[in-house]
Structure formats: C-alpha cells, structure tokens
C-alpha cells in the first residue's frame, strides 16, 4: 500500500490531545502553559507550551500503542526512499555520533573526510574510534575545501583495509557535494557502510534540479538537520538507514545511548510537518527557492566588489562534483574587507544576519521561505555594504595557510589526547606539541585543530590572526587564545 502523505501522525495526535482536553499529572510541569510565568508566555506565546507534551504517556499511550512516532518516521522514510528513519531531538550533532557508534567501536578505524563538523570529532572523542583522515579537495586559490574525491577514499581503504566504513560530509556548509554514488560503491565492494553527513541537505530529495541525496546515491546511513535547510524547529534532526550493512536495532541501541528520555514533541511535530509539506508541495516550493536563488545570485554578481561563487568556481576537475545553489556564497575579497566585518556591519546597520562568514566570504542561506521581498532586502543591504566598505578598510590580515600547511599529523587517538594529562602553554610555545582540545572557527564548524593533532606554526598563526580579525572560536579553552591546551606527555 502506498504511503499517505496527507497524514501527519504527530500533528494529528497533538490535535487530538487538545480536542480531548487531556489532563496530565506528568511532566512537563507547566501543564499546557498554565504554570508558565506570564512574562514568558507573553514572549513565547502559548502555542509553544501547548505543543510541549510528554511523548510517551501523553501524546501516545504508556506503551506507545498508537505508534505515533513510528508512523511519522515511516512516512519520512518513504518520502526520502530510505528503509528506516529515526527522529532525534539534539540536532545532527547527536545523529552523526549515533551513526558513527553504529559503524565502529573503540580502536576501530573509520575513514573520514577531514572537513568534518566538530560533532564528528566529538564522536571520535567519546567513542575512541581511530580516524583515518581523508583529504578534502582544497581550492588553494579560494582557500576553501570541497568533499574528498572517491579516489582519495579508495586510496585510504587500500592503506587501511581493516577500516569499518567511511564518513563523508556532503553538501559542505558552502553547498558543494561529493560523488556519493562512487564512494558508496567502493564502500560496498568491501561490504562496509557509508555514512553521509547531509546536515545541509534536508531539501535535496524534493526537487530534481537539486543535487542527488545520500539515500538515492546508495549511502547506508544519512544524517540530516531538518532545521537547517528545511522548516523543522532548531535541533530537529533525522537519520535515515537503508540496506543491511548496519542493523536497524543496533543503530537504535547506539542512538539510545546519546538521546534524551524526554524528547520534544514540538521537534517531532516540526519534522513530521516538514515531511508532509515537502511530500505534497516540495517540488513547487523548492522550484520557487531555486528561482529566487538564481535571481539573487545574478544580482549580487552585479554589485561592485562582490562575486558569487558559482559552478565555474566550485565544480569540475579537482573540485566538487556538484553544488547546491541555495547557499549563496559571496566572495568579497575585492571589497578589501573580511567576511567578519561585513557580517557585523550588516547586523548592526541593516539588522540582517548572514550565515557563513570567513576571512573573505559571507554566505546568504536562501530557502523555500524566501521570496522576492526578502531577496530585495538582502540585495539592498549588500549594495549598502559595498558602498560602506571604504569606511571599514583596511581589513585586518588573516594569515591563511596553504592547503599542505593546514594539515597536521594525528599523533594519537583524539580520545587519548582529550582525556589524558594536559597543560596550558602559551601559544608561542605550542608548535610541536599535541593538542588536547578542539579549536573550531564557527561557522562553518570544521575544527582547525583537534585533539591528538601535532600543532604547527602556520595553523597557530591562522587562528591567532583570525581571532584578531573577528573569527569566532567558541570551543577554545582560552577564548583569547593566549594559551592552548596540549597533552602533557608526547606521543612520538
Ligand atoms: C556538516 C555538519 N554536520 C553536523 C552538524 C550538526 O548539526 P546540528 O546543528 O543540527 O547539531 C552541522 C552543524 O552546523 C554541520 O554543519
């Protein structure tokens, strides 16, 4: 029987809960907003509290006999061509760790593209998995990384035939995509699974002009943040599973280690509603977003000093396989200011928040929620920024290492460096020492330094000059980066 995508089991159960005026003697203690502080109710609105009910023993019964969550997950799986889907409520930061734990264990190897998000590194620290880093495709001219090639994974498998699987990030936060079909194929030749961190790809299944998505490309597990490019609420994430290389019960068990026993029904409702919205209207909504994106890209290209990174810049031999045009990545190098200055100016003077910022770029994330009006406001603000750029110059200089200089050697397991004896040393004395912490420019959230890596001058200079220029390094132990946390002993 084909799935009925007009249904939304979580939303229907919630409506039923309200219709019956259920009375709970259970958490949450605000009990349908009645107990919430009036001042909080005023700001949040009661809808937030009305949707916030206990999942088991509230929305569904004590033994979840209504299969509310299960039915919603089945519909999501159907919509993206997966065998199984699991909803989670702590972002893809949780989902990606669950996926990793289902594929490898302590001291087992996992091939991972080095342009991984910090949640992958957290997964390595918690699990004791040994990463085999696979080089991304570095664009030395533009100073950014695209997903590793299939050939790089093949080489890594040849050097490490005992690897339990592979993990790749696609799309990257810059919107560039890997050749997932080829990477999946070479994993499956070895009967090991491919995990795709598709945190940025919630929308991909719903329009043929968007890049191919992980389940269709043959990946085994795919992790997606529905709140990033989709209309889920913050923290609403899913992972999809297909094939028999990773047993569903094992994945569920490993995920259960990390999850909460009080999942948010609000987040479940957001996931369920997004799937229905996309199954019924996805093509039309994504088609509209693609049109707006094309217009915005063309208009930004016409602004003096701005260049929109397009397929010519990002795709082709030695670069990415494909790209998503919705993240509109704007190179402002010619304006002579940094992305940090540009983003701060737009927020302060035009009340506009940009997503991605780095030493020479700003990124405007466009979604199906945008239209000509929001696009017009963005474009007007960008023009004003271009006019104001002279006042912002000179840009502080960020000393960005060359691609080979960016790579440090992994001296020991991330877990051993993170949990082992450590000390804080002045940054001027840190080169040559083994890092015991993660240091991550955010966004996009790809650690420049991770525990177990042997620090080098160029990377330290990059971070220090970056911080002075306005880079956000939220996870560094010393937020001023005067000292760095390093392993007390050497791992030579
Ligand atoms: C590639 C990638 N993976 C995973 C995550 C974590 O997702 P979440 O913020 O939903 O926890 C992010 C977040 O930015 C990301 O960029």
């Amino acid at each position: 029987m084909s799935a009925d995508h007009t249904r939304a089991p979580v939303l229907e159960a919630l409506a039923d809960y309200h219709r019956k005026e259920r009375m709970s003697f259970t958490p949450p203690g605000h009990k349908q907003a009645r107990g919430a502080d009036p001042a909080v109710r005023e700001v949040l609105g009661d809808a937030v509290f009305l949707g916030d009910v206990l999942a088991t023993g509230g929305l569904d019964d004590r033994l979840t006999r209504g299969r509310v969550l299960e039915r919603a997950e089945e519909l999501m799986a159907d919509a993206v061509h997966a065998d199984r889907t699991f909803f989670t409520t702590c972002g893809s930061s949780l989902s990606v760790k669950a996926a990793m734990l289902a594929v490898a264990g302590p001291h087992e190897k996992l091939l991972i593209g080095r342009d991984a998000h910090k949640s992958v590194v957290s997964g390595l620290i918690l699990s004791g998995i040994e990463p085999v880093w696979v080089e991304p495709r570095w664009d030395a001219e533009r100073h950014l990384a695209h997903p590793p090639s299939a050939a790089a994974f093949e080489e890594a498998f040849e050097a490490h035939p005992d690897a339990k699987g592979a993990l790749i990030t696609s799309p990257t936060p810059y919107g560039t995509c890997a050749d997932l079909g080829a990477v999946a194929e070479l994993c499956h030749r070895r009967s090991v699974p491919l995990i795709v961190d598709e945190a940025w790809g919630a929308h991909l299944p719903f329009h043929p002009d968007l890049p191919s998505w992980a389940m269709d490309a043959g990946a085994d597990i795919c992790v997606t943040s529905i709140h990033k490019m989709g209309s889920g609420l913050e923290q609403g994430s899913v992972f999809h599973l297909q094939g028999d290389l990773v047993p569903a019960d094992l994945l569920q068990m490993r995920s259960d280690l990390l999850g909460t026993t009080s999942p948010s029904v609000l987040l479940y409702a957001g996931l369920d509603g997004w799937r229905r919205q996309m199954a019924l209207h996805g093509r039309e909504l994504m088609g509209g977003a693609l049109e707006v994106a094309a217009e915005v890209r063309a208009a930004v290209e016409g602004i003096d000093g701005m260049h929109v990174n397009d397929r010519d810049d990002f795709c082709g031999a030695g670069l990415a396989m494909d790209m998503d045009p919705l993240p509109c990545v704007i190179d402002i190098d010619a304006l002579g200011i940094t992305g940090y200055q540009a983003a701060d100016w737009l927020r302060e003077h035009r009340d506009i928040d940009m997503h991605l910022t780095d030493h020479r770029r700003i990124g405007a994330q466009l979604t199906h929620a945008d239209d000509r009006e929001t696009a017009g406001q963005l474009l007007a603000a960008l023009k004003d920024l271009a006019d104001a750029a002279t006042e912002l110059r000179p840009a502080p200089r960020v000393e960005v290492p060359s691609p080979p200089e960016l790579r440090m050697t992994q001296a020991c397991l991330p877990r051993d460096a993170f949990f082992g004896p450590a000390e804080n040393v002045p940054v001027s004395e840190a080169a040559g020492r083994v890092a015991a912490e993660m240091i991550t420019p955010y966004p996009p959230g790809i650690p420049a330094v991770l525990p177990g890596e042997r620090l080098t001058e160029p990377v330290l200079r990059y971070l220090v000059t970056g911080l002075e220029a306005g880079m956000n390094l939220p996870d560094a132990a010393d937020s001023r980066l005067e000292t760095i946390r390093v392993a007390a002993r050497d791992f030579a």
Side-chain angles (χ1 to χ4, degrees):
M1 207 177 67
S2 71
D4 181 358
H5 283 289
T6 62
R7 305 295 303 272
V10 176
L11 288 159
E12 287 164 19
L14 205 45
D16 190 53
Y17 187 99
H18 294 144
R19 206 168 25 246
K20 292 192 169 124
E21 297 184 10
R22 280 193 186 284
M23 183 157 293
S24 76
F25 292 93
T26 71
H30 60 71
K31 303 202 176 186
Q32 295 286 283
R34 294 190 302 279
D37 179 0
V40 176
R41 290 173 75 169
E42 201 180 311
V43 176
L44 291 186
D46 280 355
V48 172
F49 293 101
L50 296 178
D52 187 42
V53 303
L54 197 63
T56 301
L59 185 77
D60 206 339
D61 73 9
R62 188 176 59 80
L63 296 175
T64 59
R65 280 168 286 210
R67 295 182 63 250
V68 174
L69 176 63
E70 243 178 287
R71 286 185 288 122
E73 290 176 335
E74 282 166 11
L75 286 165
M76 175 78 90
D78 183 79
V80 304
H81 306 173
D83 293 343
R84 288 283 302 271
T85 289
F86 301 84
F87 288 6
T88 71
T89 59
C90 187
S92 292
S93 298
L94 180 150
S95 303
V96 84
K97 292 186 193 86
M100 292 166 72
L101 293 179
V103 169
H107 298 280
E108 291 181 338
K109 291 179 185 166
L110 188 63
L111 309 188
I112 308 176
R114 178 59 181 82
D115 57 336
H117 183 254
K118 62 176 278 148
S119 52
V120 172
V121 177
S122 307
L124 293 173
I125 292 169
L126 293 174
S127 66
I129 292 172
E130 180 181 338
V132 174
W133 295 116
V134 181
E135 279 305 300
R137 292 177 146 187
W138 295 103
D139 180 336
E141 191 191 324
R142 293 179 187 82
H143 288 118
L144 56 76
H146 300 299
S149 65
F153 274 97
E154 179 71 44
E155 221 172 276
F157 268 125
E158 274 163 20
H160 300 274
D162 52 341
K164 296 292 181 186
L167 188 156
I168 191 164
T169 305
S170 179
T172 67
Y174 293 90
T176 62
C177 304
D179 186 351
L180 294 179
V183 182
E185 200 271 323
L186 65 92
C187 285
H188 296 162
R189 242 190 291 133
R190 293 169 172 85
S191 302
V192 295
L194 171 65
I195 303 168
V196 179
D197 180 349
E198 202 170 75
W200 291 100
H203 57 310
L204 299 184
F206 303 109
H207 198 285
D209 294 345
L210 287 164
S212 144
W213 76 97
M215 286 291 104
D216 255 25
D220 300 86
I221 307 179
C222 157
V223 168
T224 301
S225 294
I226 302 299
H227 60 93
K228 290 198 192 305
M229 293 299 291
S231 6
L233 297 168
E234 283 284 289
Q235 290 188 214
S237 171
V238 294
F239 46 94
H240 309 301
L241 173 69
Q242 70 181 346
D244 51 16
L245 289 175
V246 182
D249 55 353
L250 186 100
L251 180 56
Q252 191 152 24
M253 195 170 82
R254 303 277 160 98
S255 163
D256 186 56
L257 277 182
L258 305 166
T260 172
T261 48
S262 308
S264 165
V265 165
L266 277 171
L267 300 196
Y268 284 165
L271 298 172
D272 194 27
W274 156 255
R275 182 271 317 152
R276 180 171 64 181
Q277 182 186 25
M278 284 301 108
L280 300 182
H281 312 293
R283 194 178 168 121
E284 175 199 335
L285 290 171
M286 287 305 146
L290 284 166
E291 270 174 35
V292 170
E295 287 170 19
V296 168
R297 287 172 159 273
V300 176
E301 194 59 36
I303 300 175
D304 269 352
M306 295 196 183
H307 169 59
V308 178
N309 286 132
D310 222 322
R311 299 190 74 83
D312 286 348
D313 300 321
F314 280 176
C315 303
L319 299 171
M321 160 89 177
D322 201 354
M323 67 171 276
D324 173 8
L326 296 189
C328 179
V329 179
I330 308 166
D331 194 324
I332 54 167
D333 206 34
L335 284 182
I337 59 172
T338 63
Y340 314 125
Q341 290 173 296
D344 288 348
W345 189 91
L346 286 166
R347 182 175 163 86
E348 192 183 333
H349 298 280
R350 291 294 175 273
D351 294 322
I352 282 189
D353 290 319
M354 301 301 279
H355 173 233
L356 218 146
T357 45
D358 68 19
H359 61 283
R360 62 184 281 182
R361 278 170 287 261
I362 44 175
Q365 175 194 330
L366 300 166
T367 73
H368 61 291
D370 285 298
D371 55 21
R372 296 209 161 88
E373 195 183 319
T374 62
Q377 287 180 29
L378 171 69
L379 291 169
L382 291 174
K383 280 182 197 136
D384 293 344
L385 169 67
D387 293 339
T390 39
E391 297 155 29
L392 300 173
R393 290 185 209 129
R397 211 175 115 66
V398 183
E399 293 187 38
V400 185
S402 67
E405 281 177 335
L406 260 180
R407 288 296 290 118
M408 300 182 286
T409 50
Q410 187 80 45
C412 64
L413 287 188
R415 180 166 74 174
D416 292 347
F418 187 85
F419 289 113
E423 59 187 344
N424 295 332
V425 296
V427 74
S428 55
E429 293 167 24
R433 301 292 299 267
V434 171
E437 63 171 326
M438 218 184 320
I439 307 180
T440 313
Y442 214 103
I446 300 163
V449 168
L450 56 88
E453 283 185 331
R454 194 175 296 283
L455 295 161
T456 59
E457 276 297 346
V459 169
L460 292 167
R461 250 195 333 269
Y462 166 57
L463 291 169
V464 169
T465 55
L467 192 70
E468 282 164 5
M471 182 188 276
N472 180 27
L473 298 173
D475 54 9
D478 173 0
S479 58
R480 286 172 306 161
L481 222 60
E482 283 166 5
T483 61
I484 300 236
R485 188 172 165 82
V486 295
R489 72 181 180 91
D490 198 20
F491 287 87

